[in-house]
Amino acid sequence: MPIVTSIYAPTSYNTDDHIIPGETPDVVFTATDTPLEHTLEKSAKPSSYNGFKPKWMLNDAPHRFYQRVAKFFVVLPEQSRIAIWDSSVSTGEVNCVLVETNSKEHIANIICRLIIIYCKYQDRKKPKLSIKAVKPYTDEIATYIYDKHNPLEKEKFVHQSDDVINRKENDYFYRILIGFANYSKAKQRSNRST
């Protein structure tokens, strides 16, 4: 039986970073461990961005995609962050959610669920992505976060700053995602120069 988690998405988000503070979410997504399959491009190869990207990444370079995901994460309410964490970081036992990550798998699960919610929010008419379709593309970011920031702590992940003006700078996971986006951009530039 799939684990169902309700995810509340902000109605005031758009990719141009025009966020209207104080609006309450009125859209609810349900993330499950067995959603509809989402098709990938035939040429897509897991764990490789060298010319092959999954359809859900659209036309963005990986660093731009993760910058947009980071901006989206900033406006996610605490309820959604808790739901992402609770469905991603557990021991597998019933009602046993960990307070910090202890493996790269936990981090990959968090990233997968965040990407699924972001993509569904971008186009609600498309079928929901599955973890199976997203996970092969999260190895690089999961490794980066695991090496530089492990363990992630639930309290810091879930906490949303009350300071609306400086919310991005104060958001723990936003800074981690932007750090990966910058790392990915630098890596892409160095690959082009060689």
Side-chain angles (χ1 to χ4, degrees):
M1 181 169 201
I3 300 170
V4 178
T5 307
S6 294
I7 304 297
Y8 299 91
T11 57
S12 58
Y13 171 80
N14 71 34
T15 56
D16 297 329
D17 198 26
H18 294 33
I19 299 166
I20 303 166
E23 278 198 19
T24 56
D26 62 352
V27 179
V28 178
F29 297 116
T30 304
T32 67
D33 285 344
T34 57
L36 297 172
E37 280 297 320
H38 185 74
T39 58
L40 297 174
E41 293 178 4
K42 291 179 182 175
S43 60
K45 294 183 180 176
S47 306
S48 172
Y49 290 129
N50 300 334
F52 301 105
K53 292 185 292 189
K55 268 188 176 177
W56 48 263
M57 198 172 273
L58 305 173
N59 295 326
D60 288 341
H63 68 275
R64 286 196 183 122
F65 177 78
Y66 284 110
Q67 286 172 339
R68 287 191 174 99
V69 170
K71 288 177 186 177
F72 177 75
F73 181 78
V74 168
V75 296
L76 273 179
E78 277 191 30
Q79 302 157 305
S80 298
R81 294 173 183 215
I82 290 169
I84 290 170
W85 184 275
D86 290 352
S87 61
S88 302
V89 185
S90 64
T91 61
E93 298 174 20
V94 178
N95 296 329
C96 189
V97 177
L98 303 174
V99 293
E100 61 182 31
T101 59
N102 62 13
S103 71
K104 192 170 90 169
E105 183 74 19
H106 289 155
I107 295 168
N109 287 339
I110 290 170
I111 298 296
C112 286
R113 284 179 171 81
L114 185 57
I115 288 171
I116 289 168
I117 295 162
Y118 172 75
C119 291
K120 187 63 179 176
Y121 182 76
Q122 288 299 318
D123 190 351
R124 294 181 184 119
K125 293 177 184 175
K126 286 189 177 179
K128 199 179 321 175
L129 292 169
S130 70
I131 289 180
K132 183 179 169 184
V134 175
K135 198 164 227 167
Y137 298 94
T138 61
D139 189 54
E140 186 178 10
I141 188 169
T143 301
Y144 171 86
I145 294 172
Y146 183 77
D147 291 345
K148 300 235 183 225
H149 302 283
N150 195 52
L152 298 181
E153 298 173 25
K154 180 178 182 177
E155 186 60 38
K156 290 181 180 179
F157 179 85
V158 168
H159 177 71
Q160 192 172 29
S161 175
D162 295 331
D163 182 5
V164 177
I165 309 281
N166 298 316
R167 186 172 280 171
K168 286 182 188 174
E169 291 78 21
N170 297 330
D171 197 293
Y172 170 69
F173 200 64
Y174 168 84
R175 290 191 318 256
I176 291 172
L177 290 172
I178 291 299
F180 174 74
N182 294 336
Y183 163 80
S184 179
K185 185 176 183 178
K187 185 177 171 184
Q188 186 180 20
R189 283 184 179 165
S190 68
N191 286 346
R192 272 194 229 148
S193 64
T194 55

